[in-house]
């Protein structure tokens, strides 16, 4: 039994590639010691039982020349998030999913209330109203560049908590705003804080779940990203009609505050480097030995680590061709989503006579499609990965076939919606196109997200942050062109233009599927 407790090298397998990447970045030796570590008085202490053990006995049961290096007690160490009980993992996942529902909900919830705001602040500018809605996504664009590195430096948990608290406070500020500059600035700042669950979620899931089941878990986590903006206008429409536009923000404050309290009680740190560093701190205190160090610790100074972490998302975005390409594709699709969010209210009010309080219900069609897409992706993604791997290496490129299908669905849904909205008398016809479009959104985003996590597992947060930057810029800026585009081209040809752009991304996705591994190897980054 004593031998079984001896720490050993963590096997380089698919389920532990996260730790392989993290350990490879550390200059210290990776051989492991037993959890009995020497104190400054020349004895060692069993951390769990607090029983002193002689140094000579420790040396007899250690594979490491330096007993001051603290590492995992083998690949089955229960403190690793990957080895947590399923109940604990799912608790963390559900908390993340709830946060990932609320913060994207804030992005579109205000769309039906723009008219009330403009009237109260004595403006008739449609562009200004659109920017107040989509400007939230500018926070999504720039926040990840700082949030992802902070999570890799100081752990995910404190970043989650501080960002959630900031999101609550900035929404209070939005509710109390008295002019346009105030609400625009506070909306952007709430977006900076609100992007945290989207940025760190894939990294947290990569911490807890093995690669072969990650697709299914990510499909559950990612649904709220798109379902939130779909549900938001429904809630916002009824709230603003009954209580005024400020209650859109108070509603978010109440719900997020409740989730924040649950997170303080239930949420735990998942980043392996942070968990191991906390073990070091405990052992330093219990043994009195200040020389103990984590096996994952870098030789770089804190300042150097901070700078390296800050530039990492930008470095990935600029110097990794596959990340840049997929970020552009995600920006196109995401921008199209928010373009529709900011124009659908007017389309269904003017053309079909749906009231302001009920017009938010039209967004449900997209949500139904997203749910169908999520279920479908969850059922097939991991199976496709296993089938293409054929018992061998599970390459990130094996996640991409559903992306091709998703882009076809996006194009088809746009064409259906645009031409139906222009000519059809029945409101249900364009909404059927929205169902197809919604399914395409999920089956486009999910392969990109899982690809980023699988290809950059040790730095999944930075990789998804890089993707989020361009995606959010597209979501913030493309809607500004929507009203003018539809006014010039009409709903039919305007949607055809967007569908053509999405369809043009299909050959690019196929090329990366076939040759992505060679591209990744050629442009391998030193992160």
């Amino acid at each position: 039994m004593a031998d079984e407790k001896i720490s050993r090298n963590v096997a380089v397998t698919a389920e532990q590639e996260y730790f392989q990447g993290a350990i490879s970045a550390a200059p210290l030796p990776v051989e492991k010691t037993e959890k009995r570590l020497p104190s400054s008085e020349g004895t060692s202490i069993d951390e769990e039982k607090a029983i002193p053990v002689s140094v000579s006995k420790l040396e007899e049961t250690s594979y490491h020349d330096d007993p001051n290096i603290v590492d995992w007690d083998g690949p089955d160490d229960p403190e690793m998030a990957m080895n947590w009980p399923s109940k604990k993992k799912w608790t963390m996942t559900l908390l993340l999913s709830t946060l990932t529902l609320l913060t994207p909900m804030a992005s579109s919830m205000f769309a039906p209330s723009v008219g009330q705001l403009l009237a109260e602040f004595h403006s008739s500018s449609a562009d200004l109203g659109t920017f107040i809605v989509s400007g939230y996504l500018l926070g999504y664009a720039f926040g990840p560049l700082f949030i992802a590195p902070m999570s890799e430096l100081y752990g995910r948990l404190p970043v989650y908590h501080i960002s959630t608290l900031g999101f609550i406070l900035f929404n209070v500020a939005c509710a109390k705003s008295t002019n346009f500059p105030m609400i625009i600035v506070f909306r952007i700042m709430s977006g900076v804080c609100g992007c945290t669950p989207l940025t760190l979620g894939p990294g947290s899931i990569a911490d807890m779940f093995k690669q072969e089941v990650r697709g299914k878990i990510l499909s559950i986590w990612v649904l709220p990203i798109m379902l939130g903006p779909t549900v938001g206008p429904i809630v916002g429409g009824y709230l603003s009609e009954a209580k005024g536009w400020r209650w859109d923000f108070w509603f978010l404050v109440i719900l997020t505050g409740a989730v924040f309290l649950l997170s303080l009680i239930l949420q735990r740190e998942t980043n392996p480097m942070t968990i191991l560093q906390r073990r070091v701190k405990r052992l330093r205190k219990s043994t009195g030995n200040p020389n103990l160090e984590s096996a994952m610790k870098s030789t770089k100074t804190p300042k150097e680590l901070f700078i390296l972490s800050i530039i990492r998302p930008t470095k990935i975005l600029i110097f990794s061709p596959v990340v840049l390409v997929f970020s552009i594709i995600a920006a196109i699709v995401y921008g199209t989503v928010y373009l529709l969010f900011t124009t659908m209210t007017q389309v269904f009010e003017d053309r079909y006579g749906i009231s302001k309080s009920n017009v938010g219900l039209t967004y449900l069609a997209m949500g139904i499609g997203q749910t169908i897409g999520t279920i479908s992706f969850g059922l097939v993604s991991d199976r496709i990965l296993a089938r293409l791997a054929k018992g061998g290496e599970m390459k990130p490129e094996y996640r991409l076939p559903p992306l091709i299908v998703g882009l076809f669905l996006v194009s088809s849904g746009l064409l259906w919606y645009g031409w139906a909205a222009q000519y059809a008398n029945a409101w249900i016809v364009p909404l059927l196109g929205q169902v197809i479009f919604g399914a395409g959104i999920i089956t486009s985003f999910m392969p990109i997200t899982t690809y980023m996590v699988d290809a950059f597992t040790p730095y999944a947060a930075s990789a998804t942050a890089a993707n989020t930057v361009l995606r959010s810029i597209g979501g913030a800026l493309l809607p500004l062109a929507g009203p003018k585009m539809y006014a010039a081209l009409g709903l039919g040809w305007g949607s055809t233009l967007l569908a053509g752009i999405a369809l043009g991304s299909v050959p690019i996705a196929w090329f990366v599927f076939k040759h992505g591994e060679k591209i990744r190897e050629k442009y391998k980054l030193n992160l």
Side-chain angles (χ1 to χ4, degrees):
M1 293 297 292
D3 290 339
E4 291 178 0
K5 284 193 175 182
I6 297 173
S7 299
R8 57 186 69 86
N9 290 327
V10 180
V12 183
T13 64
E15 67 184 78
Q16 285 138 351
E17 77 271 16
Y18 188 102
F19 309 105
Q20 176 200 14
I23 291 173
S24 65
L28 294 172
V30 295
E31 293 91 352
K32 317 301 186 274
T33 63
E34 195 176 0
K35 207 160 38 172
R36 299 184 179 93
L37 294 163
S39 71
S40 57
E41 288 76 26
T43 62
S44 65
I45 294 177
D46 186 311
E47 183 192 4
E48 294 179 348
K49 300 180 181 179
I51 301 173
V53 184
S54 68
V55 173
S56 60
K57 184 174 181 181
L58 171 67
E59 291 171 349
E60 292 174 0
T61 59
S62 175
Y63 293 130
H64 203 294
D65 294 334
D66 186 353
N68 289 321
I69 303 303
V70 180
D71 210 329
W72 303 110
D73 287 344
D76 299 322
D77 191 315
E79 287 195 35
M80 283 185 186
M82 191 85 68
N83 297 324
W84 287 350
S86 295
K87 183 179 179 180
K88 187 175 182 179
K89 291 182 183 181
W90 278 106
T91 300
M92 300 300 105
T93 303
L94 291 176
L95 277 173
L96 286 177
S97 296
T98 305
L99 283 174
T100 310
L101 173 68
L102 292 176
T103 58
M105 182 189 293
S107 65
S108 64
M109 187 174 178
F110 196 62
S113 311
V114 167
Q116 290 185 358
L117 175 71
L118 293 176
E120 182 173 328
F121 291 167
H122 309 293
S123 175
S124 58
S125 173
D127 289 339
L128 182 59
T130 299
F131 183 70
I132 291 172
V133 176
S134 64
Y136 177 88
L137 297 179
L138 289 179
Y140 273 24
F142 299 108
L145 295 176
F146 301 96
I147 287 170
M150 291 300 97
S151 77
E152 290 164 359
L153 273 176
Y154 303 112
R156 311 203 196 283
L157 191 60
V159 179
Y160 277 123
H161 288 339
I162 293 171
S163 297
T164 304
L165 180 59
F167 180 78
I168 293 170
L169 295 177
F170 283 120
N171 273 287
V172 170
C174 287
K176 302 291 286 184
S177 294
T178 56
N179 54 56
F180 286 120
M182 284 181 67
I183 195 166
I184 289 173
V185 170
F186 292 139
R187 281 277 290 169
I188 293 173
M189 292 308 299
S190 64
V192 170
C193 296
C195 74
T196 298
L198 284 75
T199 304
L200 303 188
S204 298
I205 289 172
D207 294 339
M208 295 186 289
F209 294 96
K210 302 175 184 178
Q211 184 183 16
E212 53 265 34
V213 299
R214 202 175 287 154
K216 185 187 304 180
I217 307 302
L218 279 170
S219 67
I220 295 171
W221 169 82
V222 84
L223 177 61
I225 294 179
M226 303 312 303
L227 199 57
T230 302
V231 174
I234 301 173
V235 178
Y238 284 113
L239 265 178
S240 60
E241 186 78 9
K243 303 288 289 184
W245 63 268
R246 296 180 190 274
W247 265 93
D248 290 353
F249 299 108
W250 290 123
F251 181 78
L252 288 169
V253 168
I254 293 168
L255 287 186
T256 310
V259 176
F260 180 52
L261 292 176
L262 285 175
S263 298
L264 290 175
I265 298 170
L266 299 174
Q267 199 170 7
R268 297 291 180 267
E269 181 60 65
T270 62
N271 188 335
M273 289 179 278
T274 305
I275 294 173
L276 195 59
Q277 186 58 40
R278 290 180 179 178
R279 175 180 288 182
V280 171
K281 290 181 180 179
R282 291 198 308 269
L283 288 170
R284 283 175 181 170
K285 184 176 181 180
S286 64
T287 64
N289 181 4
N291 299 318
L292 300 179
E293 295 290 354
S294 168
M296 293 183 178
K297 182 181 178 182
S298 172
T299 55
K300 293 181 173 62
T301 65
K303 181 180 178 180
E304 290 171 335
L305 282 173
F306 180 81
I307 294 173
L308 182 65
S309 297
I310 286 293
I311 65 173
R312 186 178 292 127
T314 306
K315 187 176 181 180
I316 292 173
L317 179 62
I318 295 174
F319 295 108
S320 174
V322 290
V323 173
L324 180 59
V325 165
F326 283 144
S327 297
I328 293 172
I329 292 175
I332 292 170
V333 177
Y334 203 59
T336 304
V337 171
Y338 278 88
L339 188 154
L340 294 185
F341 281 154
T342 55
T343 57
M344 280 176 61
T345 299
Q346 183 178 354
V347 168
F348 284 95
E349 282 181 359
D350 294 348
R351 291 180 177 265
Y352 298 101
I354 297 177
S355 66
K356 288 184 179 295
S357 59
N358 291 327
V359 73
L361 294 173
T362 59
Y363 292 79
L364 278 177
M366 197 181 298
I368 292 171
Q370 290 165 357
T371 304
I372 294 171
T374 299
I375 295 171
S376 301
F377 183 86
L379 290 174
V380 304
S381 177
D382 293 329
R383 295 179 183 179
I384 292 173
L385 177 71
R387 181 166 57 82
L388 292 175
K390 297 177 181 177
E393 181 184 357
M394 294 183 178
K395 300 176 182 179
E397 285 71 27
Y398 296 160
R399 295 288 190 185
L400 297 179
L403 172 60
I404 298 172
V405 177
L407 291 172
F408 273 114
L409 290 174
V410 167
S411 299
S412 303
L414 283 169
L415 288 172
W416 187 318
Y417 165 75
W419 290 106
Q422 184 158 327
Y423 290 113
N425 292 323
W427 55 265
I428 189 65
V429 181
L431 291 184
L432 291 175
Q434 290 281 18
V435 173
I436 298 172
F437 177 71
I441 293 168
I442 290 295
T443 45
S444 296
F445 279 131
M446 280 307 308
I448 292 175
T449 301
T450 50
Y451 177 86
M452 297 293 182
V453 173
D454 287 355
F456 298 92
T457 307
Y459 303 107
S462 287
T464 52
N467 176 257
T468 301
V469 169
L470 282 187
R471 184 183 75 193
S472 300
I473 290 175
L477 299 183
L478 190 57
L480 297 177
K484 293 181 180 178
M485 179 193 70
Y486 278 133
L489 300 177
L491 287 169
W493 284 111
S495 297
T496 300
L497 175 62
L498 296 172
I501 296 172
L503 195 62
S505 304
V506 171
I508 300 173
W510 181 88
F511 182 84
V512 177
F513 169 61
K514 288 294 185 180
H515 305 288
E517 183 181 12
K518 295 179 182 178
I519 298 172
R520 284 190 294 110
E521 290 299 321
K522 183 178 180 180
Y523 294 93
K524 200 165 187 178
L525 302 177
N526 181 18
L527 301 174

